[in-house]
Amino acid sequence: MSKSAEKKLKDGPGHRRPPTMAEIARKAGVDVSTVSRALAGSPRVAKETRVLIDKVVRETGYLVNERARALRDGRANQILVISTDIAAPFYSDVVQGIVGTLAERGISVLLGITLNQEERESQLGKQLLTGMVDGIITLTGNIPKSLEKITDFNRKIVSISRPIDRDDITSVTIDNYAATKEVMSYLHEMGHRRILFIGGPKYSQTYRNRSAAYMDFMRDNDLVEFMSTRETDSFRDDAESGFGIMNSILDGGSKPTAVFCVTDELAIGAMAAARKSGLTIPDDMSFFGFDDLKLTSLMFPPLSTVSVPRFEMGRRGADALFSQAYQGAKASDKIVLEHHLVLRNSVLQMQN
């Protein structure tokens, strides 16, 4: 078979070859360089010419090689989101906000899951050094080990939910200390004094702030004798951890009137353990969560909680990284979003 016949076969109905830029230029009656500038959005191309080229592109199905364009521009046009877990509802809501915001601007999102493995997180961080990504949004509250020695991230990292205490890293969060104080004030007003606090992993500044607010409130209200805290002894802050912690507390004979958990998932597990032991919620024990996950309103009884704007966190974090990595904006210290208490039926008014 001749080369020309072979080419025709490959370019047949079942193997249609995509058009080249030269063919677009020929159909539009312009130079290849003009097509290139038009597709890049150059103001040097007249409006009429750009409209004509766009029309030919649509008619022929020409696909712009975004990777090649990115290489010419010296950027990857993609960012990396680092998370410990994507199955958790909290993280998935944040990621949706990130992806939706960046997709509107032509920026792709890579998702890196650490599974709470430090070496895995470090390997993911190297993608910033190699130019594979233009920036990182981290949901872990950590700087990857591979990036720790860098003195200035040049506006390339944003932290969401779990702040990182560095001037060159923008953090998007809520006021966790204030939110916890509000919960404690509400429980106190409802007559509770024996309030158990189930906290998260100590490595997280977010959880440390919530724990500090609990202890400060108990001290400020002369309730030190009733102070009781339990924290997960691993990286987990999920329902299984809450179930295990609550079981150990009940097995030890302790019976608080209210339990405040630093995540809804911990509260869900703790409530399951309480029910298993024969307790009625909230008559025998009250519960308060944190995050306002969608399923908390469907529980029985519905869980009182702190509403955290997870999607908005993702959106604002993506906005910040885009403006910093692609538009040269300076990093801001913190972006603090609003929270509010969602009062449902999981807390009993105590009788004096």
Side-chain angles (χ1 to χ4, degrees):
M1 182 183 293
S2 67
K3 288 185 179 181
S4 60
E6 186 177 56
K7 182 177 184 298
K8 288 180 180 178
L9 178 62
K10 288 184 178 179
D11 291 347
H15 301 80
R16 184 178 180 184
R17 177 178 56 77
T20 65
M21 188 177 292
E23 290 168 341
I24 298 299
R26 186 166 60 252
K27 288 179 179 294
V30 298
D31 293 335
V32 172
S33 59
T34 302
V35 174
S36 178
R37 285 194 294 270
L39 295 178
S42 171
R44 295 170 57 189
V45 179
K47 180 179 178 180
E48 296 79 7
T49 303
R50 182 180 292 107
V51 170
L52 174 60
I53 291 172
D54 287 343
K55 181 175 181 291
V56 173
V57 165
R58 288 194 303 272
E59 290 175 348
T60 60
Y62 177 77
L63 297 176
V64 179
N65 189 331
E66 296 291 353
R67 185 59 180 161
R69 177 188 291 180
L71 289 172
R72 290 195 301 270
D73 294 342
R75 66 188 199 186
N77 282 343
Q78 59 188 10
I79 65 98
L80 172 67
V81 175
I82 299 180
S83 176
T84 57
D85 180 11
I86 194 56
F90 185 96
Y91 297 123
S92 61
D93 288 345
V94 173
V95 170
Q96 286 184 51
I98 295 170
V99 172
T101 300
L102 292 176
E104 295 173 355
R105 298 165 181 177
I107 305 299
S108 300
V109 175
L110 302 180
L111 185 59
I113 307 300
T114 69
L115 302 176
N116 290 314
Q117 297 174 12
E118 186 178 279
E119 180 58 29
R120 173 64 179 156
E121 187 168 33
S122 181
Q123 289 295 325
L124 289 169
K126 289 180 181 179
Q127 294 190 45
L128 184 62
L129 301 177
T130 62
M132 284 293 294
V133 297
D134 299 318
I136 290 175
I137 296 178
T138 177
L139 312 183
T140 69
N142 303 319
I143 299 172
K145 289 287 185 181
S146 54
L147 304 178
E148 281 186 342
K149 294 182 180 180
I150 298 177
T151 56
D152 184 359
F153 287 113
N154 193 28
R155 306 176 296 275
K156 295 297 180 65
I157 295 183
V158 167
S159 178
I160 295 180
S161 180
R162 298 176 177 179
I164 296 176
D165 190 18
R166 282 186 55 153
D167 293 338
D168 56 344
I169 295 179
T170 298
S171 293
V172 183
T173 184
I174 65 167
D175 190 333
N176 287 284
Y177 187 91
T180 300
K181 277 290 194 75
E182 289 172 27
V183 172
M184 292 300 295
S185 294
Y186 169 73
L187 293 175
H188 191 265
E189 290 169 4
M190 294 292 283
H192 294 277
R193 301 296 181 267
R194 303 181 69 89
I195 304 170
L196 168 68
F197 178 84
I198 299 182
K202 293 181 180 179
Y203 75 87
S204 167
Q205 181 181 328
T206 294
Y207 294 142
R208 291 198 301 271
N209 287 345
R210 294 177 189 177
S211 179
Y214 165 82
M215 291 187 286
D216 287 349
F217 183 90
M218 296 296 277
R219 292 191 191 99
D220 293 345
N221 288 274
D222 297 323
L223 299 173
V224 175
E225 62 179 306
F226 299 127
M227 190 182 296
S228 178
T229 65
R230 298 288 191 280
E231 278 139 356
T232 56
D233 55 2
S234 67
F235 291 97
R236 300 173 67 88
D237 54 5
D238 54 16
E240 288 80 4
S241 295
F243 186 87
I245 291 172
M246 198 71 229
N247 265 337
S248 67
I249 291 167
L250 296 173
D251 289 345
S254 177
K255 190 180 177 183
T257 64
V259 180
F260 176 25
C261 301
V262 291
T263 71
D264 286 341
E265 289 195 83
L266 283 170
I268 290 167
M271 290 171 73
R275 288 195 194 91
K276 185 180 178 182
S277 70
L279 298 178
T280 300
I281 302 169
D283 296 347
D284 298 324
M285 191 175 291
S286 296
F287 285 85
F288 211 105
F290 209 116
D291 288 335
D292 193 22
L293 301 181
K294 294 175 183 177
L295 60 86
T296 56
S297 64
L298 304 176
M299 297 172 62
F300 183 78
L303 178 65
S304 293
T305 183
V306 179
S307 180
V308 178
R310 299 178 298 281
F311 185 90
E312 181 65 8
M313 277 183 167
R315 191 187 71 79
R316 293 290 295 275
D319 275 340
L321 185 60
F322 183 85
S323 63
Q324 292 168 198
Y326 297 109
Q327 298 176 333
K330 293 182 179 180
S332 58
D333 182 18
K334 280 185 182 178
I335 298 173
V336 181
L337 303 184
E338 295 294 323
H339 65 272
H340 64 272
L341 303 193
V342 180
L343 305 180
R344 298 190 177 113
N345 300 323
S346 61
V347 176
L348 179 71
Q349 171 72 63
M350 300 293 288
Q351 299 299 321
N352 295 327

